[in-house]
Amino acid sequence: MASTLPTPGTHYYLINKESGKALDVVAHSKIDGANVQQWTKNQGENQQWLLQDAGNGSFNLINKESGKALDVVAHSKIDGANVQQWTKNQGENQQWLVQDAGNGSFNLINKESGKALEVAAHSKIDGGNVQQWTKNQGENQKWIFEAVTSSSSSHSNLVKLEYKIKGKNETIIKKDCELLVVACDPRNLSKICDYTPTELGIFGKLINFTFHTSLLQVEVKSPQKHAVIFAPHSLDVMDGSVYAFRNESAKQFGIEVANGMQHNLVTVYQLVDEKKPLSASDFEKILEQQLKDSKWWPFSSNYTILESMTTPYFDHFSNEDLKKGLPWELLKSQGQNNTLYVHGFTCFESALHCWDYGELMLNTVDSARHALPTNLEAPIVILGAGVSGLLFAVRLKRLGYTNIEILESTDRYCGKTHTFIKDGPYPSGSTEKTVCELGTCYLSPAYSKMTKDLEKFLEGNDQIDFVKNNPNFRGIVTTEEFPPTFHDVDTIIEYPKYIILKALALLGLPQDFDPNKLQLKIAVDLIKYNILHWEIMGQQSPMPPEPPKALLEKTFYEFLEDNGLLSLVGMMDYIYAVQGYGVMKSIPAYYALVWITPIVIETILLDNLSQENKPVITALKNGWGNLWDQIVTKEKLHIIYSAETTSIKRKS
């Protein structure tokens, strides 16, 4: 029975006859080259295609959301060539013949290649790829044109918020939106939001540390070898002790120049666990006492606190709750009640993981995609203008959304990033300012995709090499780190030496053991770690698709010990713990493997073994704060400051 041909000038869903799924532009993308796949029909405009007459019996298929044409990649004429979207042009690789396949379905034949549009490998799953193939009788090559009706419009407003501006008349302001994005700690909303029992159960299991950083102006007593010093034993107790510092003057000008200055700027780190949170004044008292008594603090005890920050830090789950699969339960439920959660607790608290999590969620979670409004002018509210909120705003902007409002409870954006540009102290003859970071600081090659994605916001803010292949740049405090049989170990030693001595101590080897043999073992163990990482965590970034059972009852130290990798403890201790993410003997192994990925291992090898003077660990020339400044300015983000949300009702 002949089918009625679809009408040019009409928007259609193209439904694959075999799978029942719709032709879909991945992640609502609007860029040339974005992939086309199949996905459960959801009324999204990325699934709506305008049939446009191209002449001579052929048609263009134009995606409603992106305005781009269905296109065979690179004018290919081979079976299996991919299909994408691309700016409409006159190419015949964008022109399609609509041929009756019977029973209301049609074959779509590319005019240039003569091949049929099909779902690859007869897939029936969301995300199944679409390609071209020689025409056959397969139902994976048959498409049903389902006209878009007026009912296929945006959601009705489902989320009702109320908020007030602190310090003003505090009049309650009402705001309706179609999508709520929670980019703040969800526990802060527990008394005002109609959370489901499942949500309350997940959020109630979160634990966090308290992090305190201070920017000090210190007197230089004597020349220093190290620009960064880390004291593992001081961190192990997690009682608010000073456990590390970074010399910002040395980072800016180099250690030799900094040594020639009368004063340096130094950022000092303190951390306390969830059992005994401290106030800012508590941290300052500890700081004052310990800098007077410390045997490893190399500067005068005469200092001035220029800036400080105290913040809840590293929201995470216990091993018990990881074993229950709480992060994965949350991921799979994203989008329910028109709500998306993007705060660092969802995966891991770093800018990199916040960026990658947003991509993972929108690419793989059906309910998250369905929650995106089909109307690009629909109102969207983001709660929190911290790092995760700003990054997700960028994603929404790239999807074409134009009506985004960010409610921020403080008087500033960028959350735990605190970049200060200090006008002095200067080296002799210089007026160059010093970039000081009290929060987000470093980058590694793991950040390369993210920095590429965000390059328009990094204008004039290049990555800089501040280590300059100097093995003495990082120093480690050796107090209580080695057995009494180890002799002539200085209070502070360079990081590569610490790695070796710590490996000897934990492996029960004598201090005079052949260092070449030990370095070989460390290199082999790093390779073994990478192999285990791939086996356990898989290749999905930034978190595996399912809870990795091999990790969920172990601390990071236990994981290394059980797998014969104790030679790596000294190396991993610095890479993981100095960031404030907890200590190896108590933190779940899962979080360490989320942070220390194979590319980080490659970074470690380059940083410690390569003879080439190539930057590995870098910083941003103008600081992380400049990145957020450019995002807010260039994206013209609408942020309402000092906004105290008082009510959230999401149920229709």
Side-chain angles (χ1 to χ4, degrees):
M1 178 179 178
S3 305
T4 302
L5 289 172
T7 305
T10 302
H11 283 93
Y12 291 95
Y13 298 106
L14 294 177
I15 308 299
N16 188 264
K17 188 173 182 182
E18 185 167 71
S19 68
K21 296 186 181 292
L23 191 69
D24 171 292
V25 174
V26 69
H28 295 261
S29 177
K30 295 186 173 183
I31 65 171
D32 283 342
N35 196 39
V36 174
Q37 61 183 5
Q38 69 174 4
W39 202 274
T40 302
K41 180 186 168 188
N42 56 35
Q43 299 186 354
E45 292 188 348
N46 65 322
Q47 295 186 349
Q48 299 175 24
W49 300 86
L50 175 66
L51 186 69
Q52 196 173 76
D53 191 347
N56 298 317
S58 65
F59 300 89
N60 297 116
L61 286 163
I62 308 299
N63 188 264
K64 184 175 182 180
E65 187 165 75
S66 67
K68 297 186 183 294
L70 190 68
D71 172 291
V72 174
V73 169
H75 296 264
S76 178
K77 297 182 180 181
I78 67 171
D79 283 342
N82 199 35
V83 175
Q84 61 184 4
Q85 70 174 7
W86 200 270
T87 301
K88 182 185 172 185
N89 52 50
Q90 300 305 310
E92 292 192 342
N93 65 321
Q94 294 187 350
Q95 297 175 20
W96 301 85
L97 305 175
V98 180
Q99 297 182 350
D100 186 5
N103 297 317
S105 66
F106 299 86
N107 295 119
L108 291 169
I109 308 300
N110 188 262
K111 187 174 182 181
E112 186 167 70
S113 67
K115 296 188 182 294
L117 184 74
E118 71 161 30
V119 174
H122 295 266
S123 175
K124 295 183 180 181
I125 66 170
D126 282 340
N129 197 37
V130 175
Q131 62 185 13
Q132 70 174 9
W133 201 271
T134 301
K135 182 182 173 183
N136 54 50
Q137 299 304 309
E139 294 201 338
N140 64 322
Q141 292 189 351
K142 297 177 182 180
W143 300 87
I144 298 167
F145 281 74
E146 183 179 309
V148 177
T149 64
S150 58
S151 63
S152 301
S153 59
S154 183
H155 311 284
S156 59
N157 287 340
L158 296 179
V159 181
K160 297 183 179 295
L161 294 95
E162 295 181 0
Y163 68 93
K164 60 186 179 181
I165 306 301
K166 293 179 284 188
K168 293 191 176 181
N169 57 19
E170 301 204 352
T171 301
I172 295 296
I173 302 167
K174 295 185 178 182
K175 173 75 176 181
D176 292 350
C177 65
E178 293 191 17
L179 177 66
L180 176 67
V181 179
V182 178
C184 62
D185 188 330
R187 294 173 294 179
N188 296 340
L189 308 176
S190 59
K191 294 182 180 179
I192 61 170
C193 183
D194 56 354
Y195 284 145
T196 65
T198 297
E199 289 171 322
L200 287 170
I202 292 173
F203 305 150
K205 295 297 184 178
L206 285 169
I207 52 181
N208 63 268
F209 307 140
T210 305
F211 199 41
H212 184 82
T213 50
S214 306
L215 179 62
L216 310 182
Q217 180 168 305
V218 300
E219 289 184 2
V220 178
K221 293 195 305 182
S222 58
Q224 304 301 311
K225 289 176 59 179
H226 312 291
V228 174
I229 290 182
F230 170 48
H233 179 71
S234 297
L235 178 61
D236 286 346
V237 290
M238 291 193 71
D239 63 355
S241 292
V242 174
Y243 75 86
F245 75 78
R246 178 180 60 254
N247 188 327
E248 304 285 7
S249 299
K251 178 167 70 75
Q252 189 77 33
F253 306 111
I255 191 70
E256 291 184 5
V257 174
N259 280 334
M261 299 167 62
Q262 183 177 358
H263 293 92
N264 284 176
L265 298 178
V266 174
T267 298
V268 177
Y269 290 84
Q270 298 169 261
L271 189 72
V272 68
D273 65 20
E274 70 277 6
K275 300 172 185 174
K276 43 195 173 187
L278 301 175
S279 67
S281 60
D282 292 331
F283 278 112
E284 285 192 16
K285 290 175 183 176
I286 294 171
L287 177 73
E288 180 181 8
Q289 185 62 48
Q290 291 190 350
L291 295 195
K292 286 180 181 178
D293 300 339
S294 174
K295 295 180 180 179
W296 57 267
W297 174 249
F299 303 103
S300 166
S301 58
N302 183 17
Y303 61 86
T304 303
I305 299 177
L306 302 180
E307 311 286 351
S308 64
M309 174 193 75
T310 307
T311 183
Y313 191 69
F314 189 43
D315 293 352
H316 62 281
F317 296 99
S318 68
N319 259 330
E320 178 183 357
D321 293 316
L322 289 171
K323 190 175 181 181
K324 293 176 182 176
L326 297 191
W328 295 271
E329 185 176 352
L330 176 70
L331 178 63
K332 292 173 182 176
S333 67
Q334 290 277 15
Q336 293 180 11
N337 295 310
N338 287 68
T339 306
L340 298 176
Y341 296 96
V342 300
H343 182 263
F345 86 91
T346 56
C347 177
F348 194 89
E349 188 161 317
S350 78
L352 171 63
H353 290 83
C354 289
W355 178 249
D356 285 350
Y357 186 87
E359 181 175 352
L360 172 70
M361 178 176 65
L362 294 181
N363 283 349
T364 66
V365 181
D366 195 24
S367 56
R369 289 160 48 87
H370 289 179
L372 294 173
T374 57
N375 179 359
L376 296 180
E377 297 179 354
I380 296 173
V381 171
I382 299 176
L383 296 181
V387 168
S388 62
L390 298 182
L391 289 175
F392 203 74
V394 170
R395 287 204 178 275
L396 291 173
K397 285 278 190 173
R398 289 184 178 177
L399 294 174
Y401 293 103
T402 59
N403 188 4
I404 303 168
E405 188 170 274
I406 305 177
L407 302 184
E408 168 55 44
S409 64
T410 72
D411 61 357
R412 58 183 292 275
Y413 56 80
C414 68
K416 295 181 179 70
T417 296
H418 289 260
T419 301
F420 296 96
I421 312 295
K422 288 300 180 181
D423 198 357
Y426 303 113
S428 177
S430 172
T431 58
E432 181 180 338
K433 296 179 180 179
T434 304
V435 178
C436 306
E437 301 280 19
L438 270 67
T440 320
C441 181
Y442 302 127
L443 301 92
S444 74
Y447 284 72
S448 58
K449 181 182 180 297
M450 174 183 162
T451 54
K452 179 67 175 176
D453 291 343
L454 301 176
E455 62 182 348
K456 69 175 284 189
F457 309 115
L458 289 165
E459 186 177 350
N461 195 13
D462 298 334
Q463 294 181 50
I464 58 170
D465 174 20
F466 58 88
V467 177
K468 296 181 174 62
N469 214 31
N470 176 7
N472 292 322
F473 190 86
R474 304 177 187 92
I476 310 296
V477 179
T478 60
T479 304
E480 298 192 37
E481 290 297 309
F482 303 117
T485 54
F486 279 37
H487 302 294
D488 301 320
V489 179
D490 293 335
T491 302
I492 302 174
I493 59 176
E494 58 271 20
Y495 180 44
K497 184 175 181 179
Y498 174 77
I499 293 171
I500 295 296
L501 290 179
K502 192 69 175 178
L504 292 173
L506 292 175
L507 296 174
L509 298 172
Q511 195 173 353
D512 60 356
F513 186 81
D514 186 342
N516 293 324
K517 290 182 179 179
L518 185 60
Q519 286 179 344
L520 178 60
K521 175 171 175 53
I522 291 172
V524 170
D525 285 352
L526 284 170
I527 295 169
K528 183 178 177 182
Y529 175 91
N530 266 12
I531 294 171
L532 285 168
H533 194 286
W534 287 117
E535 290 175 347
I536 294 169
M537 301 292 280
Q539 298 186 43
Q540 178 174 285
S541 178
M543 59 188 288
E546 299 293 338
K549 295 180 180 179
L551 294 180
L552 300 184
E553 293 182 354
K554 298 178 181 180
T555 66
F556 187 32
Y557 187 92
E558 288 168 342
F559 168 78
L560 295 176
E561 184 176 37
D562 291 351
N563 288 285
L565 300 176
L566 287 180
S567 73
L568 305 182
V569 166
M571 182 181 292
M572 299 296 196
D573 201 11
Y574 179 88
I575 293 295
Y576 183 82
V578 78
Q579 310 289 336
Y581 298 137
V583 297
M584 297 179 69
K585 290 192 174 181
S586 60
I587 201 68
Y590 168 74
Y591 287 111
L593 270 72
V594 168
W595 179 243
I596 306 177
T597 60
I599 194 171
V600 173
I601 296 300
E602 293 165 15
T603 299
I604 295 169
L605 286 166
L606 284 172
D607 201 27
N608 289 281
L609 302 179
S610 174
Q611 299 302 309
E612 299 181 42
N613 188 19
K614 290 184 178 180
V616 179
I617 304 299
T618 60
L620 293 176
K621 178 181 178 182
N622 298 319
W624 280 84
N626 184 267
L627 168 63
W628 314 126
D629 290 342
Q630 292 195 46
I631 285 176
V632 170
T633 302
K634 292 180 178 179
E635 294 289 6
K636 299 179 181 177
L637 297 183
H638 178 41
I639 304 175
I640 298 175
Y641 298 100
S642 301
E644 180 183 346
T645 306
T646 57
S647 176
I648 303 172
K649 298 189 181 301
R650 305 170 298 164
K651 297 173 183 176
S652 56

